Amino acid sequence: MNKPVEFYFDFSSPYGYLASLKSHEIERESGREVVYRPYLMGAVFKTTGRRPLADHPLVWDYARRDIERCARRIGTPFSLPEPFPVVTASACRAFYWTEEKEGHEAARDLAHRLYAAYFVEGRDISSREVVIAVAAGETHDADVVAGALEDEAIRQRLRDITAQSAQRGIFGSPFFLVDGEPFWGHDRIADVIEWSRRGGW
Amino acid sequence: MNKPVEFYFDFSSPYGYLASLKSHEIERESGREVVYRPYLMGAVFKTTGRRPLADHPLVWDYARRDIERCARRIGTPFSLPEPFPVVTASACRAFYWTEEKEGHEAARDLAHRLYAAYFVEGRDISSREVVIAVAAGETHDADVVAGALEDEAIRQRLRDITAQSAQRGIFGSPFFLVDGEPFWGHDRIADVIEWSRRGGW
């Protein structure tokens, strides 16, 4: 049985959003499961000395155009939200809580709803209330979700994942690992699939 | 008649080298000429506050692996030279002198020879002597080429191209313009071709 493709991303990353729309295609083409690993990219910026895309005016003018163009090309709705970027600790915690309680499929579905809330509907997912509303949906009690966001074990899980990502050389979003081989960027998805099938080149 | 695709690059850029190997494919698929515009990316770093890839240890570990993997995937020889990166003013001047004297095809051929000298043969193309040897080849007098590198009009041409590139929002290598639309990265070549054919989307 082939190991899963690990998909690291930040919920505030537009390219991470675009990559999330391809996860089923990656699974179909590679024959491997895609495991979602949301993390806090800001923590990694501190260790690399890099800065967010939006901090470089010239680069950001380009990136914004590129992101909108990439979204149009694949026919997906996209609108750059305000504020941007944001810290997505609550969104990550809701994801890991859902994964623990209901399994990876349910957590992945939540990840897609959170991304759509931010990049399609323009809702501010740095807000606890927005995350609780999206995560509770029609099936959970909002108070239960609110409690989960304060759960110390879940908070520690996010800290661990984020610390691990730095140790494993992960610094961007999206960032994929295939049998330990790193691929950065949604423009490397064809390579992720090819590497998954061939085991390297 | 469709306008050419403008291809900006730095002679010290590995991704620029990989992109240069695709210029005939871009022309064949897009039906447009590709015009080479080598420039000095270091000058743009000053205005954007960005730093070269090799300045971020974590990012550079990844990028180095990615570059070698991309080269293997397309089956092209590649070896990261030492020193790296270098300033390529002489290489750019030799290019613009050749373009002026012998036309774009000859200059493009020289660009490919300079890239191969650096990224395949490991010769230091920041050295005037190396540039003169590569540019003179079997057909030019080395003294004539050496004189050309000191030609004030050629030096000014490189300054103008580099200043223009900043004004036009160009900050990376490779960087393509199709009817003014910017594309950054050798991983955007499929988009460059598609945009050239459809005039946008």
Side-chain angles (χ1 to χ4, degrees):
Chain A
M1 186 61 190
N2 283 323
K3 283 169 68 178
V5 172
E6 294 171 85
F7 167 37
Y8 283 81
F9 61 93
D10 187 297
F11 275 115
S12 184
S13 156
Y15 290 114
Y17 162 61
L18 295 178
S20 74
L21 302 172
K22 300 276 188 177
S23 60
H24 288 292
E25 180 181 328
I26 296 171
E27 291 188 326
R28 197 173 56 239
E29 302 283 326
S30 70
R32 300 194 189 210
E33 190 189 3
V34 174
V35 173
Y36 284 32
R37 285 293 166 254
Y39 78 116
L40 298 177
M41 202 162 58
V44 180
F45 284 142
K46 284 178 197 149
T47 65
T48 58
R50 295 178 71 235
R51 295 183 309 175
L53 266 182
D55 273 13
H56 302 285
L58 198 61
V59 180
W60 177 234
D61 281 350
Y62 172 79
R64 187 178 175 146
R65 185 174 189 145
D66 182 59
I67 292 159
E68 291 171 346
R69 189 171 61 197
C70 289
R72 287 199 309 275
R73 176 138 194 211
I74 62 174
T76 195
F78 174 85
S79 172
L80 194 77
E82 198 53 67
F84 173 86
V86 293
V87 177
T88 56
S90 295
C92 289
R93 287 179 197 135
F95 174 92
Y96 288 113
W97 175 73
T98 303
E99 185 179 54
E100 193 181 300
K101 295 296 175 200
E102 302 177 30
H104 193 72
E105 266 311 310
R108 182 149 114 163
D109 186 58
L110 171 60
H112 290 184
R113 295 204 310 276
L114 287 164
Y115 259 149
Y118 192 45
F119 289 117
V120 180
E121 298 154 32
R123 296 160 74 187
D124 177 3
I125 59 165
S126 70
S127 146
R128 276 180 85 254
E129 286 61 43
V130 169
V131 169
I132 291 167
V134 174
E138 296 167 3
T139 52
H140 292 91
D141 187 314
D143 289 342
V144 174
V145 180
L149 298 184
E150 304 306 322
D151 184 307
E152 181 50 31
I154 293 296
R155 297 171 81 97
Q156 188 58 43
R157 175 113 173 92
L158 175 57
R159 278 183 219 114
D160 290 345
I161 292 268
T162 298
Q164 263 174 31
S165 68
Q167 285 158 13
R168 300 178 80 189
I170 292 160
F171 55 83
S173 172
F175 203 103
F176 298 92
L177 289 175
V178 183
D179 297 334
E181 182 75 13
F183 295 88
W184 174 31
H186 88 295
D187 39 45
R188 289 293 184 282
I189 287 180
D191 285 349
V192 166
I193 291 169
E194 191 68 11
W195 195 277
S196 296
R197 296 164 76 146
R198 291 164 57 185
W201 57 76
Chain B
M1 187 59 190
N2 283 322
K3 282 168 69 179
V5 171
E6 294 171 86
F7 167 37
Y8 283 81
F9 61 93
D10 187 297
F11 275 115
S12 184
S13 157
Y15 290 114
Y17 162 61
L18 295 178
S20 74
L21 302 172
K22 300 277 189 175
S23 59
H24 288 293
E25 182 181 327
I26 296 171
E27 292 189 326
R28 198 174 55 239
E29 302 283 326
S30 71
R32 301 194 190 209
E33 189 189 4
V34 174
V35 172
Y36 283 32
R37 286 292 166 256
Y39 78 116
L40 298 177
M41 202 161 58
V44 180
F45 283 142
K46 284 179 199 149
T47 65
T48 58
R50 295 177 72 237
R51 295 182 309 175
L53 266 181
D55 273 12
H56 302 285
L58 198 61
V59 179
W60 177 234
D61 282 352
Y62 171 80
R64 187 178 175 146
R65 186 173 189 146
D66 182 60
I67 292 159
E68 290 170 347
R69 188 170 62 197
C70 289
R72 288 201 308 277
R73 177 139 194 212
I74 60 172
T76 194
F78 174 85
S79 172
L80 194 77
E82 204 44 73
F84 172 85
V86 292
V87 177
T88 54
S90 295
C92 288
R93 287 179 196 135
F95 174 91
Y96 288 114
W97 174 73
T98 303
E99 186 179 54
E100 191 180 302
K101 296 294 176 201
E102 302 177 29
H104 194 72
E105 264 312 309
R108 181 149 116 163
D109 186 60
L110 171 60
H112 291 184
R113 294 205 311 276
L114 287 163
Y115 259 147
Y118 192 44
F119 289 116
V120 180
E121 298 155 33
R123 295 160 75 188
D124 178 2
I125 59 166
S126 68
S127 145
R128 278 180 82 253
E129 286 62 43
V130 170
V131 169
I132 291 167
V134 174
E138 294 166 3
T139 53
H140 292 91
D141 188 315
D143 290 341
V144 173
V145 180
L149 298 184
E150 304 306 323
D151 183 308
E152 181 50 32
I154 293 295
R155 296 171 82 96
Q156 189 57 43
R157 174 114 173 92
L158 175 58
R159 278 185 220 114
D160 290 344
I161 292 269
T162 297
Q164 263 172 31
S165 69
Q167 286 158 12
R168 300 179 79 188
I170 293 161
F171 55 84
S173 172
F175 203 103
F176 297 93
L177 289 176
V178 184
D179 297 334
E181 183 74 13
F183 295 89
W184 174 31
H186 88 295
D187 39 44
R188 290 295 184 281
I189 287 179
D191 286 348
V192 166
I193 291 169
E194 193 66 12
W195 195 279
S196 297
R197 295 164 75 146
R198 292 164 56 185
W201 58 75

